Amino acid sequence: MLPTDIDQHWMMHALGLAGRAEREFDEVPVGAVLVGPDGVMLAEGMNRNIGDHDPTAHAEIVAMRQAGQGLGNHRLLGCTLYVTLEPCAMCAMAMVHARIGRVVFAASDPKTGAAGSVFDLLGDPRHNHRVQVEGGLLAAEASERLTAYFRRKRGKPG
């Protein structure tokens, strides 16, 4: 499926959150936006695991928690999650449990990606719910930001 203007809009918003995560909190620059079936933003998140000392505080989890609390429901039926990095196994399984309808991610993660790169947890037929996956939207922007962050952390030239 080709990305829509709406997909571009929300991914740009997620990229802005990724920038804030790095700039304001020195976190790995990952941002996520959760949009309801009606196209209205329900929640947003950015990586907070370093600052919050919480290994589960990935951008996707932060956004899903916020949305679940706001809706008063752990099910996020028909929602679309936009995230700047391919979800890891923890985030992918949380999406399955929440019954997220669709995830759109920017950069693939060749080390821990669980939406098709290393694992395909979102489409695994053994689960009672499968999440529609679309990857690569604004991937270059997200990848450049992540690469620059890790180079800086390792003290390597840009």
Side-chain angles (χ1 to χ4, degrees):
M1 177 186 273
L2 292 174
T4 66
D5 289 343
I6 299 298
D7 291 337
Q8 293 266 358
H9 168 80
W10 290 121
M11 188 60 77
M12 289 298 295
H13 187 89
L15 284 166
L17 293 167
R20 281 187 54 209
E22 180 177 9
R23 202 171 43 255
E24 296 175 19
F25 305 106
D26 199 25
E27 294 276 352
V28 176
V30 179
V33 179
L34 188 68
V35 178
D38 58 359
V40 174
M41 183 176 76
L42 297 173
E44 60 185 25
M46 61 184 89
N47 270 13
R48 295 289 306 147
N49 52 302
I50 297 168
D52 288 355
H53 312 291
D54 179 355
T56 69
H58 288 188
E60 303 96 305
I61 300 292
V62 171
M64 286 188 286
R65 279 184 184 143
Q66 186 183 80
Q69 290 169 355
L71 293 171
N73 194 339
H74 68 288
R75 299 288 191 221
L76 302 170
L77 300 170
C79 292
T80 297
L81 183 66
Y82 296 89
V83 62
T84 59
L85 180 62
E86 180 180 359
C88 69
M90 173 185 70
C91 294
M93 289 312 300
M95 290 175 208
V96 170
H97 288 291
R99 307 295 192 266
I100 296 282
R102 176 175 171 244
V103 63
V104 179
F105 68 85
S108 294
D109 186 344
K111 293 183 180 177
T112 63
S117 290
V118 178
F119 309 104
D120 187 14
L121 294 177
L122 296 176
D124 192 312
R126 293 171 291 187
H127 300 307
N128 60 352
H129 176 75
R130 278 170 280 310
V131 179
Q132 179 185 341
V133 177
E134 295 167 36
L137 179 60
L138 302 176
E141 292 90 332
S143 294
E144 288 168 19
R145 188 179 307 248
L146 287 158
T147 299
Y149 173 85
F150 286 111
R151 278 195 179 133
R152 181 175 58 84
K153 285 295 189 184
R154 293 177 183 122
K156 295 182 179 179

